[in-house]
Amino acid sequence: MNPRWTLLKRNLLDFWKTFRRNRMGLAGAFLVLTAVLAAVFAPLLSPYTPTETMRDAEGRALTFAPPSVHAPLGTDDAGRDVWTQLVYGARISLTVGFLAGFIAMFIGSLFGITAGYFGGWVDNLLMRITDVLLVIPDLPLILVLVATVRQLELKVSPLVILILVIGLLYWTSTARLIRSQVLTIKERQYVYRARAIGAGNWHIVRKHILPQIMPLIVANTVLILSTAILIESGLAFLGLGDPTQPSWGTMLNFAFDRNAVSNGAWWFYLPPGLAIIWATLGCVLLGNVLEEMLNPRLASHHLEGEQRIATQP
Amino acid sequence: MNRRDYLLRKIFFSLVTLAIVVVLNFVLFRVLPGDPVRAVIGRNVRISADTQQALREQFGLDRPVFPDQFLTALGQWARGNLGVSWSLRKPVGEVLVTKLGNTLLLIGLGQLLSIILGVALGLLAGWKRKTAVDVGALTFSLIAWAIPTFWLGIILLAAGSTWLGLPTGGIVSPSNVGKPLYTVLPDVTHHLILPTLTLTILYMGEYMLIMRSSIMEVLGEDYILTAKAKGMSHWQVLRKHALKNAMLPIVTLIAINLGFTVSGAIYVETVFSYDGLGKMFQTALVKQDYPLLQGAFLLLAVSVILANMLADILYTYLDPRVKAS
Amino acid sequence: MTSTRPLLSVRNLGTEFVTTDGTVARALEDVSFDVHPGQTVGLVGESGCGKTTTLLSIMRLLPVTARITSGQVIVAGTDLLSLSEIEMRRYRWKELAIVFQGAMNALNPVMTVGEQIREAIILHDLMDKSHATRRVDELLDMVGIAVSRRDQYPHEYSGGMRQRAMIAMALACQPSLLFADEPTTALDVMVQAQILELLQKIQKLLGLAVVLVTHDLGVVAEVCDSVVVMYGGKVAENGPVDEVYNAPRHPYTQRLLEAFPDLNRPAGSLAVIPGTPPRLNALPPGCRFAPRCHVAFDRCHIEAPAETGLGGGHTAACHLFEKTEAAR
């Protein structure tokens, strides 16, 4: 137990040293961290609640008020503070994104490991399912699924439906990635040896395969998160979110439907989009860097630059 | 396995996918909803119990779901009878066909521009690695990927209409509604600028990234060194040897993108009130007009699957190495 | 040895690589040798000793991380290293052609073989398209490939055929010097023999000079006139094949030859040179072979030996011979 722990610590330390030097990764980490912190500490970041209406001296609702000292991002069509909605909206956007992402990661890893490890007809079947899912256009499918489920009038929050639907449809890239990794590992010596001494499948997967692919799963999950956040915002924009728990996408739905554009209320439709980009970009940068650290690319190619000759002036 | 077998496999796969989509459509729209009559005629229409029963018999909804209803539905769909939209009071098929052309125009234009720009930029970025062009292009693609489609549309709409006087929506100005498109081309073009720009910016990044990594990989191959050893200039090597090889993944990407472009169209058409399939899809969703929704889904899914199949077939003819999967 | 002017004269060639973390690896140091018209020179040594780097340096095809730091490469009176890239392109393939190792990937997979050969001809303005096609057929015939295969793709050829196609392509512009980088390594024994035979036949037919890079000493013995033995980026020994093989002077050459299995004494155990070649970014001071040398003495670890002439065009870079000379 002890030597394993020291080895793990050393690996993490090496990882951190390399990571620290990579500026893109740090930028990504910064973006993600600030978004998460904003969500967690929302009540501390704003004196108002998202549903509070701002009123002027005469008690009239301050609709579409431009940014001011009291409301740094102005108000929306019902006089509610936009900044407050933004930080509280982070909670919804990020939670839905994270949960959906984890479901997708879980399903994808399961499919990928099973397909890669067992091979044969299992592999074929699972990969065909993946392919079918990839061909069918994603948004129409989601919309149709959500519409049907809604129709069943189950007593569930629309957010739960969103999480499930996104998670159930976006695992394909993870599955493929994991599968190809497992295929490589499966052919390695120590797996053959383990089988030769009679180790069971579950044991081999747990002890030999999982630890090897864990880093890759982590890197890929971060990338999936970015997709999940984007998709959630799009679906919320189309009205499939929960109006009582607005995410950034829902805010944009309100902004668009309630004529923020024609009213010139840029403070209402600009920030939520920027917030989505902030969080998504953070996940992408982080995920890319993580993936790169596990997958070094070409050093240089043949048409790069001109031959350097020291004997020439 | 030779080319013929490979092709047959691909076609078979597409047919299976089509079958799955059809069954899925049926299950979602005829089986799941509690009351199938409601599903067909909508929830908000008030009808008496007698009328309901009569309708049930008329639509064959009192027959067993499988195989009777299923086969009936299949027959109808095959003949192009996709039901009647209760919100528009017109046959679904008719509604869809009129909107299809508009969407194809938008998507086609957007894809074409993004391919041209993306590939050109990707080529430059991959060739001149680590220079300002490369870094700039990478940054652009990264950010473009993170931008929500509909939001970019909103921003461009706001900016375009405020500063450039571009139209805020629709496919033609109100005065030209109803006229065949080819008679009012300038107006159509005017209205197409912003939505097409949105799609182009968004998809350009992806093509750029794929082309860049593709060209980088190709340029690292041995045959590029051979070409250089033959005495060719960098540009000659690029043009004669690298390009064809590097473009192959782009063809694959175009196929993959077909599905996503449809999704993008739904957002863009909604934001720009562009009278195409995408906007109609969203409207059907909001109004809970299930016949329309189901017909649109079927049409979209089938189109994408068929287009993918064609792209696969095309690819097998482009790459002489294709033999086994 | 010969009184004719050398076709290619490499003088004091030095090349280094800059790795991603900034360290510099001295891949070639002070490499010199000559190639005379019609001669076959073997360039031998262990993997990583700089054989391929030497070829790429001469043809200026090194990757952008490499830098030629010193020396001259003289062909027909011109130092190639002083030319601009554009001027250099005129020499490529017309004077100097190269056949790469492992022709698996050296041919473009989406172009027919015939087209790729024709491209070389047309590129150097040798003839128009129809004449070029006829020339392609001639070349294919010369290397023993059926002309009907001209319009096939590389993946339709076998490994040996691809290698022969590469040779045909290299001869397209009638170069005076052909570099062959491990032309037989990736092939099985029967095919190896065929390729070597082909090279010899072509050489005799066209009067080509050939520089053959290989780690297979047997091939060199069979085909080459002179041999250049490299170690750790430097030339250890250089001379006519018979002399070097029968009376190797450099300790490394001696051990190398000992390590090579001898059919005449199959029961003997294989000799092994202990240790491993030096890392090019952490070179030992003094002679690069000193750490593994069985007759090394103090001076070897401090000072790098210069190439000493041993008479008859035979040189060796070892302090032993300098000592002997001084003692005389």
Side-chain angles (χ1 to χ4, degrees):
Chain A
M1 190 166 65
N2 258 336
R4 280 257 295 269
W5 178 237
T6 24
L7 188 65
L8 184 67
K9 261 205 299 189
R10 181 147 25 105
N11 277 337
L12 285 176
L13 224 58
D14 283 337
F15 174 84
W16 175 242
K17 261 193 252 164
T18 330
F19 187 78
R20 215 175 37 179
R21 272 193 251 142
N22 189 314
R23 271 181 291 174
M24 259 200 350
L26 287 178
F30 169 74
L31 293 175
V32 172
L33 220 60
T34 45
V36 171
L37 289 174
V40 168
F41 293 111
L44 295 178
L45 291 167
S46 163
Y48 316 112
T49 69
T51 46
E52 222 179 290
T53 314
M54 320 277 287
R55 297 181 186 281
D56 62 11
E58 277 100 55
R60 281 179 304 205
L62 285 163
T63 58
F64 283 142
S68 63
V69 175
H70 299 290
L73 285 179
T75 64
D76 69 357
D77 64 296
R80 293 177 291 227
D81 180 41
V82 172
W83 167 251
T84 315
Q85 288 187 52
L86 200 69
V87 291
Y88 276 87
R91 293 184 163 185
I92 312 296
S93 287
L94 292 179
T95 313
V96 172
F98 283 176
L99 288 177
F102 281 128
I103 294 180
M105 171 209 77
F106 186 70
I107 300 178
S109 306
L110 200 64
F111 266 57
I113 294 177
T114 317
Y117 187 72
F118 289 107
W121 65 267
V122 173
D123 183 12
N124 244 322
L125 180 66
L126 291 178
M127 283 305 110
R128 292 309 135 236
I129 296 177
T130 313
D131 287 339
V132 166
L133 215 55
L134 275 177
V135 177
I136 302 177
D138 60 333
L139 193 60
L141 184 61
I142 296 181
L143 295 180
V144 150
L145 280 175
V146 174
T148 316
V149 169
R150 281 261 178 105
Q151 222 210 158
L152 294 174
E153 281 177 6
L154 307 164
K155 302 286 177 222
V156 223
S157 157
L159 293 181
V160 172
I161 299 178
L162 274 189
I163 294 175
L164 285 176
V165 168
I166 297 176
L168 287 171
L169 292 176
Y170 283 92
W171 48 263
T172 45
S173 67
T174 311
R176 283 219 171 142
L177 190 68
I178 303 289
R179 172 183 172 270
S180 59
Q181 267 305 101
V182 171
L183 281 178
T184 330
I185 299 175
K186 196 172 72 155
E187 302 303 319
R188 296 225 180 113
Q189 290 298 326
Y190 50 86
V191 175
Y192 279 129
R193 243 177 261 140
R195 275 228 203 92
I197 64 172
N201 283 332
W202 175 238
H203 173 91
I204 294 181
V205 168
R206 196 165 56 90
K207 289 212 117 167
H208 296 286
I209 298 190
L210 266 184
Q212 287 269 321
I213 60 176
M214 251 323 167
L216 202 60
I217 293 183
V218 169
N220 187 256
T221 307
V222 177
L223 283 173
I224 296 286
L225 282 185
S226 65
T227 312
I229 295 175
L230 269 180
I231 303 286
E232 183 277 330
S233 70
L235 294 175
F237 172 73
L238 290 175
L240 298 180
D242 185 351
T244 58
Q245 294 187 70
S247 67
W248 294 326
T250 325
M251 283 175 74
L252 289 168
N253 170 288
F254 292 161
F256 188 68
D257 276 348
R258 297 166 197 181
N259 302 310
V261 179
S262 39
N263 275 302
W266 55 266
W267 51 89
F268 191 17
Y269 60 76
L270 204 60
L274 292 175
I276 296 170
I277 298 178
W278 182 282
T280 309
L281 198 59
C283 289
V284 169
L285 288 177
L286 197 57
N288 268 343
V289 164
L290 287 179
E291 204 184 49
E292 222 176 80
M293 283 169 62
L294 302 164
N295 207 352
R297 307 250 178 94
L298 283 176
S300 69
H301 61 62
H302 296 302
L303 293 188
E304 251 181 274
E306 296 247 321
Q307 186 75 81
R308 289 184 285 166
I309 300 185
T311 56
Q312 281 189 13
Chain B
M1 203 191 299
N2 57 24
R3 177 176 284 167
R4 193 179 61 99
D5 291 339
Y6 181 78
L7 272 179
L8 285 176
R9 257 177 143 240
K10 287 282 168 184
I11 295 176
F12 178 68
F13 173 74
S14 297
L15 290 175
V16 167
T17 315
L18 275 175
I20 293 177
V21 163
V22 166
V23 170
L24 185 70
N25 205 30
F26 181 74
V27 165
L28 285 179
F29 286 101
R30 296 289 180 88
V31 176
L32 277 189
D35 184 357
V37 177
R38 281 284 158 204
V40 172
I41 65 170
R43 321 197 124 258
N44 304 322
V45 178
R46 255 188 268 269
I47 49 174
S48 67
D50 283 340
T51 324
Q52 264 197 40
Q53 184 55 29
L55 280 168
R56 210 169 270 132
E57 280 166 36
Q58 181 186 25
F59 283 113
L61 294 169
D62 50 348
R63 275 108 133 291
V65 169
F66 199 79
D68 295 59
Q69 282 198 47
F70 181 58
L71 291 175
T72 320
L74 271 188
Q76 288 176 333
W77 289 344
R79 271 176 274 135
N81 174 4
L82 292 164
V84 178
S85 156
W86 62 263
S87 70
L88 295 173
R89 301 193 212 294
K90 273 199 234 152
V92 169
E94 196 184 297
V95 172
L96 292 180
V97 164
T98 47
K99 316 280 184 187
L100 181 64
N102 295 349
T103 301
L104 284 179
L105 180 63
L106 178 64
I107 294 182
L109 215 59
Q111 275 292 298
L112 192 67
L113 285 175
S114 57
I115 292 173
I116 294 175
L117 289 173
V119 165
L121 212 61
L123 182 66
L124 214 61
W127 182 15
K128 304 285 182 195
R129 275 176 72 145
K130 297 178 191 160
T131 58
V133 175
D134 189 17
V135 173
L138 275 177
T139 316
F140 171 77
S141 307
L142 221 49
I143 298 181
W145 195 92
I147 300 180
T149 317
F150 61 92
W151 185 78
L152 183 65
I154 294 177
I155 300 296
L156 287 178
L157 178 64
S161 57
T162 314
W163 298 329
L164 295 173
L166 287 169
T168 55
I171 186 169
V172 284
S173 330
S175 55
N176 281 328
V177 173
K179 297 191 198 149
L181 285 183
Y182 58 87
T183 56
V184 286
L185 274 181
D187 194 24
V188 172
T189 319
H190 204 215
H191 280 81
L192 270 177
I193 294 179
L194 287 175
T196 310
L197 188 64
T198 314
L199 283 179
T200 305
I201 293 179
L202 282 166
Y203 290 110
M204 203 172 104
E206 228 185 290
Y207 285 110
M208 196 237 70
L209 281 177
I210 296 290
M211 187 62 183
R212 176 185 175 270
S213 65
S214 176
I215 197 97
M216 280 188 340
E217 197 176 311
V218 164
L219 289 179
E221 296 273 8
D222 290 343
Y223 55 86
I224 297 293
L225 189 60
T226 308
K228 217 178 146 195
K230 281 193 205 169
M232 289 198 225
S233 70
H234 285 202
W235 177 241
Q236 280 176 316
V237 176
L238 204 65
R239 201 166 50 91
K240 295 194 182 168
H241 289 269
L243 263 181
K244 235 207 284 183
N245 279 281
M247 285 293 285
L248 291 175
I250 297 285
V251 174
T252 315
L253 183 63
I254 296 177
I256 294 176
N257 260 347
L258 290 166
F260 295 117
T261 315
V262 161
S263 310
I266 295 180
Y267 288 123
V268 170
E269 289 186 13
T270 305
V271 168
F272 288 96
S273 308
Y274 185 87
D275 200 21
L277 275 184
K279 171 151 185 294
M280 204 214 57
F281 203 91
Q282 190 255 356
T283 318
L285 182 73
V286 163
K287 292 204 191 138
Q288 298 186 312
D289 184 345
Y290 294 112
L292 192 57
L293 200 60
Q294 163 234 256
F297 175 68
L298 202 58
L299 181 65
L300 283 176
V302 167
S303 313
V304 169
I305 294 171
L306 286 178
N308 258 304
M309 187 177 82
L310 286 173
D312 272 337
I313 296 175
L314 182 68
Y315 187 89
T316 55
Y317 283 102
L318 287 176
D319 187 350
R321 284 170 293 182
V322 168
K323 274 205 290 191
S325 57
Chain C
M1 184 175 124
T2 45
S3 51
T4 55
R5 211 168 53 136
L7 189 58
L8 167 72
S9 193
V10 178
R11 299 245 157 279
N12 312 102
L13 183 62
T15 302
E16 63 186 21
F17 282 84
V18 182
T19 57
T20 46
D21 50 359
T23 51
V24 171
R26 297 282 317 167
L28 294 179
E29 192 76 66
D30 210 26
V31 172
S32 307
F33 61 92
D34 288 344
V35 181
H36 293 265
Q39 194 187 33
T40 310
V41 175
L43 199 57
V44 298
E46 290 165 279
S47 306
C49 71
K51 317 188 291 286
T52 308
T53 310
T54 308
L55 293 192
L56 292 180
S57 298
I58 295 173
M59 289 199 67
R60 290 174 53 175
L61 290 174
L62 293 166
V64 77
T65 49
R67 203 169 43 176
I68 301 178
T69 53
S70 58
Q72 299 171 299
V73 173
I74 303 172
V75 172
T78 315
D79 178 13
L80 295 184
L81 297 184
S82 70
L83 298 175
S84 70
E85 173 66 19
I86 300 177
E87 289 167 340
M88 180 67 205
R89 283 186 201 140
R90 267 183 264 135
Y91 279 81
R92 289 200 189 116
W93 229 245
K94 275 188 88 174
E95 293 297 325
L96 312 167
I98 182 165
V99 175
F100 286 113
Q101 180 175 16
M104 295 325 122
N105 274 324
L107 290 170
N108 189 336
V110 299
M111 250 173 127
T112 61
V113 173
E115 179 59 46
Q116 293 185 52
I117 302 178
R118 189 165 49 210
E119 183 184 52
I121 301 173
I122 295 181
L123 182 71
H124 290 274
D125 293 323
L126 295 181
M127 38 185 100
D128 61 42
K129 196 156 181 208
S130 55
H131 285 112
T133 312
R134 237 177 291 158
R135 171 105 177 109
V136 169
D137 290 344
E138 271 173 36
L139 289 164
L140 288 176
D141 187 48
M142 204 193 309
V143 299
I145 295 178
V147 172
S148 57
R149 285 186 171 257
R150 181 191 354 126
D151 295 321
Q152 285 186 339
Y153 291 95
H155 67 265
E156 297 176 84
Y157 279 35
S158 71
M161 284 173 75
R162 275 193 285 238
Q163 195 69 297
R164 279 186 271 159
M166 279 234 50
I167 295 175
M169 191 161 70
L171 300 172
C173 302
Q174 296 174 307
S176 17
L177 178 56
L178 181 71
F179 292 110
D181 190 358
E182 310 261 14
T184 55
T185 304
L187 305 168
D188 60 44
V189 183
M190 289 302 293
V191 183
Q192 269 186 34
Q194 287 174 1
I195 299 288
L196 286 177
E197 216 180 282
L198 176 66
L199 277 176
Q200 283 183 298
K201 162 186 153 197
I202 288 175
Q203 220 193 345
K204 240 182 284 208
L205 196 64
L206 302 173
L208 262 189
V210 172
V211 173
L212 190 67
V213 165
T214 180
H215 56 263
D216 188 338
L217 295 173
V219 166
V220 170
E222 219 180 291
V223 172
C224 300
D225 301 313
S226 77
V227 61
V228 176
V229 180
M230 287 186 72
Y231 183 82
K234 298 189 79 171
V235 174
E237 191 163 351
N238 181 357
V241 148
D242 292 332
E243 259 190 63
V244 173
Y245 271 55
N246 289 325
R249 304 297 210 100
H250 195 287
Y252 175 62
T253 320
Q254 291 169 350
R255 299 293 277 218
L256 206 58
L257 288 168
E258 276 169 37
F260 208 72
D262 184 354
L263 275 178
N264 296 324
R265 279 193 296 266
S269 59
L270 288 176
V272 160
I273 312 177
T276 52
R279 292 189 56 178
L280 296 174
N281 54 1
L283 290 164
C287 173
R288 295 186 184 188
F289 186 60
R292 299 166 80 188
C293 183
H294 54 291
V295 292
F297 46 91
D298 294 331
R299 189 165 166 220
C300 301
H301 297 281
I302 308 173
E303 200 189 311
E307 271 185 76
T308 320
L310 302 168
H314 189 171
T315 63
C318 180
H319 288 306
L320 279 177
F321 307 106
E322 291 166 27
K323 192 168 162 208
T324 319
E325 304 255 307
R328 270 207 225 124

